Amino acid sequence: MSTPNKDLDKIEVSLKWDPSPSGAPAHDLDIIAATYLAEAPYGSPAYLVHFDSRSPDGTITLNRDSRTGQGFGFDEVMTLELDRLSTAYTRVVVGVAIQQRDGRKTFAEIANTGVQIREGYTNLAEDDFSAVGAATAATVAEFVRGASGAWEFHDTVRGFEGDPDSFAATMGSRPPGR
């Protein structure tokens, strides 16, 4: 039997935040995507995509990177072309990490944070990080390839503590209770 539901194809993850007050160190938030192989969907990431990088096959790219949050609307944007991603990958986790070079900063300390996940003109999810205000990083989305090969979206905002490197290594870990 056929279904009118379409597979997820091209996803855009957008991030915004207000710049730091004048004279204070810049707030620098980064979108990070981690891909996982079928044989280790909760193991170490096969590869990461973040500032200064892209996926080896060009299916995940950071289109816009901001180090200050200055700009109008969403300042950092990542595109995930799930329809082109090799079948060797069955899971992609997307997160946001706050750079910690100038001392510990949490989402609660940065004004007007927001993330939006869209496919075309359809909003899949939006969040302002208020539920994870004490965290220094958070996962914001999980995409899982089902048995049919179609990608499923899981809206999963989960806070983490630590610097961007430690977050990237653990962001795809199995959540407690799963």
Side-chain angles (χ1 to χ4, degrees), residues 68-141:
T68 63
Q70 292 174 322
F72 297 107
F74 292 94
D75 299 308
E76 191 151 318
V77 179
M78 181 178 278
T79 302
L80 298 89
E81 294 181 68
L82 299 174
D83 58 328
R84 292 184 43 230
L85 195 60
S86 167
T87 57
Y89 304 103
T90 58
R91 188 166 171 254
V92 178
V93 177
V94 180
V96 174
I98 303 169
Q99 292 292 329
Q100 301 294 317
R101 353 173 229 280
D102 297 310
R104 185 177 183 280
K105 287 184 190 171
T106 65
F107 288 109
E109 297 173 80
I110 301 172
N112 296 316
T113 56
V115 64
Q116 183 179 69
I117 301 157
R118 300 173 57 109
E119 181 184 32
Y121 295 107
T122 303
N123 275 354
L124 300 176
E126 289 186 274
D127 196 88
D128 64 2
F129 300 102
S130 60
V132 294
T136 59
T139 57
V140 296

Side-chain angles (χ1 to χ4, degrees), residues 23-64:
H27 299 315
D28 186 1
L29 284 68
D30 290 308
I31 301 172
I32 301 171
T35 58
Y36 298 87
L37 294 167
E39 59 267 11
Y42 292 94
S44 295
Y47 63 83
L48 297 170
V49 178
H50 50 80
F51 63 93
D52 293 334
S53 73
R54 67 180 207 133
S55 62
D57 59 3
T59 58
I60 302 174
T61 55
L62 186 62
N63 305 2
R64 206 170 346 156

